[in-house]
Amino acid sequence: MQARFLEDSGAKYPIIGGPMYPCSNAELVAAISEAGGIGIVQPMTLTYVEGYSFREGLRYIRSLTKRPVGMNALIEKSSTKYQKKMQEWIDIALEEGVRFFITSLGKPDWVVQKVHAYGGKVYHDVTDAKWAEIAFTSGVDGFIAVNNRAGGHAGLYDMDALIEALRIYGLPIVCAGGISNKKGYEEALLLGYSGVQMGTRFIASKECTASDDYKQAIINAGESDIVLTQNITGIPVSVINTGYIRKLGLNPGWFAQWMLRHPKLKYLIRIVYALRSRLDLKNGFYAKKGEQEFWQAGKSVQGITTVQGVNEIVDILVS
């Protein structure tokens, strides 16, 4: 399965640089691929945060590395305008030679159809067997198994339980969450994972353009400093428990909670959250200590002790 994942992704080593809004800057994505993993482009980061047109941004990344890069497609039903934009981004990525896609938050059947027509591969973010079944019947080529130690939208189960639930599908499974050092990397592969996806570890890298205070906060934090808040996207997100987060609170108000539970209104309130969170997270990305400390991170902070170059991070894992 590891060999199958490497063939699907084009990576030299079984390492994915997790797509992160707003942390997956173009130079970081390219550096991960150049080091032998595969960097994943996050379209909103490339366009809204960095200011590239999507095609221009992809071509800039290709100027920095000739190795394969992937793309993340968030496909949850939201506004018609956003859905059309995501379809456009996928089409551009395929035209520019991207052949590895990670889909999130939706039914990926239409993405699979598009990508397979170009000979590409689609892996889908899953947090449990329910979403794995939906992805499997959609024809995906593998799973990104998001566990309860992940940054961003974390899962509910630990890495051991999650792989046991997903083995029955006979697809490559990538461990996402809690991996930041050689020990965690090797444990995941010994459990039977086909590879690992790391996000937080790569924020604390020289190539990431996050503020130095954000990177230092990751180094200073331990597992107990990571909390889940619904006040960013309406879905629990792992963040460092800063003074700003404590002031904001971890849970939405009663009206927002009611809308999030409503089968028809939940998409509307998530659009509101998405619009607000884009600016909040972007500001937090550049924030210095004492400013808007809106810093996403997973429990892998426990194993991060210094800011290193991407090449050094990858070399330590695979040495």
Side-chain angles (χ1 to χ4, degrees):
M1 285 298 177
Q2 184 180 126
R4 187 168 159 188
F5 163 65
L6 293 175
E7 183 178 355
D8 287 349
S9 64
K12 180 179 179 181
Y13 304 122
I15 299 168
I16 294 175
M20 299 174 285
Y21 177 84
C23 300
S24 293
N25 57 282
E27 295 80 7
L28 177 59
V29 172
I32 293 166
S33 289
E34 190 66 16
I38 182 165
I40 307 296
V41 175
Q42 210 294 324
M44 285 297 297
T45 299
L46 198 61
T47 58
Y48 179 67
V49 178
E50 297 196 274
Y52 294 103
S53 72
F54 190 60
R55 193 183 300 273
E56 174 194 14
L58 287 179
R59 290 181 176 179
Y60 173 57
I61 291 170
R62 301 306 297 138
S63 75
L64 300 176
T65 182
K66 302 304 178 187
R67 297 193 60 83
V69 297
M71 175 191 158
N72 178 223
L74 275 69
I75 56 173
E76 183 184 33
K77 292 180 180 178
S78 54
S79 70
T80 303
K81 183 179 179 181
Y82 176 78
Q83 288 175 301
K84 287 182 177 179
K85 179 58 71 175
M86 184 55 68
Q87 291 170 8
E88 178 187 328
W89 283 333
I90 292 170
D91 288 339
I92 291 172
L94 288 167
E95 290 167 10
E96 293 296 322
V98 176
R99 295 294 180 266
F100 185 73
F101 291 77
I102 295 176
T103 49
S104 309
L105 301 177
K107 187 176 181 181
D109 51 350
W110 64 273
V111 183
V112 170
Q113 188 175 4
K114 270 181 179 285
V115 173
H116 282 182
Y118 279 79
K121 303 294 181 180
V122 178
Y123 281 45
H124 190 68
D125 279 348
V126 298
T127 54
D128 57 33
K130 169 191 170 184
W131 295 110
E133 182 68 25
I134 292 171
F136 182 75
T137 57
S138 297
V140 299
D141 303 284
F143 299 131
I144 308 296
V146 183
N147 62 48
N148 59 1
R149 294 172 60 79
H153 292 117
L156 298 173
Y157 303 102
D158 63 31
M159 59 193 294
D160 301 65
L162 198 49
I163 193 171
E164 289 305 318
L166 303 181
R167 287 185 197 275
I168 60 169
Y169 295 101
L171 296 178
I173 306 169
V174 175
C175 179
I179 311 297
S180 61
N181 55 27
K182 186 175 178 64
K183 180 175 180 289
Y185 171 76
E186 292 179 342
E187 285 177 352
L189 297 184
L190 285 170
L191 275 173
Y193 282 99
S194 307
V196 303
Q197 176 172 289
M198 301 192 304
T200 304
R201 170 65 273 197
F202 287 127
I203 298 174
S205 71
K206 294 175 182 177
E207 289 81 358
C208 184
T209 53
S211 71
D212 289 340
D213 288 293
Y214 188 173
K215 295 176 185 181
Q216 190 60 48
I218 288 173
I219 292 169
N220 294 343
E223 285 191 30
S224 61
D225 296 307
I226 303 301
V227 295
L228 289 172
T229 175
Q230 283 188 276
N231 265 338
I232 300 177
T233 64
I235 302 171
V237 174
S238 295
V239 296
I240 300 174
N241 192 19
T242 63
Y244 183 81
I245 292 296
R246 289 190 289 273
K247 180 180 178 181
L248 188 67
L250 301 181
N251 298 308
W254 69 267
F255 184 70
Q257 290 189 39
W258 173 76
M259 289 189 72
L260 286 167
R261 291 192 297 266
H262 196 284
K264 294 182 179 179
L265 298 179
K266 63 181 179 181
Y267 298 111
L268 179 62
I269 188 64
R270 284 180 184 171
I271 291 172
V272 174
Y273 271 115
L275 292 172
R276 191 188 74 179
S277 67
R278 285 177 193 173
L279 183 59
D280 286 345
L281 289 169
K282 182 180 177 181
N283 290 341
F285 181 66
Y286 298 111
K288 297 180 180 179
K289 189 171 179 60
E291 298 178 344
Q292 190 171 330
E293 299 167 340
F294 218 139
W295 294 333
Q296 293 186 87
K299 292 186 177 181
S300 61
V301 293
Q302 188 71 36
I304 302 173
T305 59
T306 185
V307 173
Q308 296 172 298
V310 166
N311 200 62
E312 185 180 4
I313 292 169
V314 172
D315 281 350
I316 289 171
L317 294 181
V318 302
S319 62

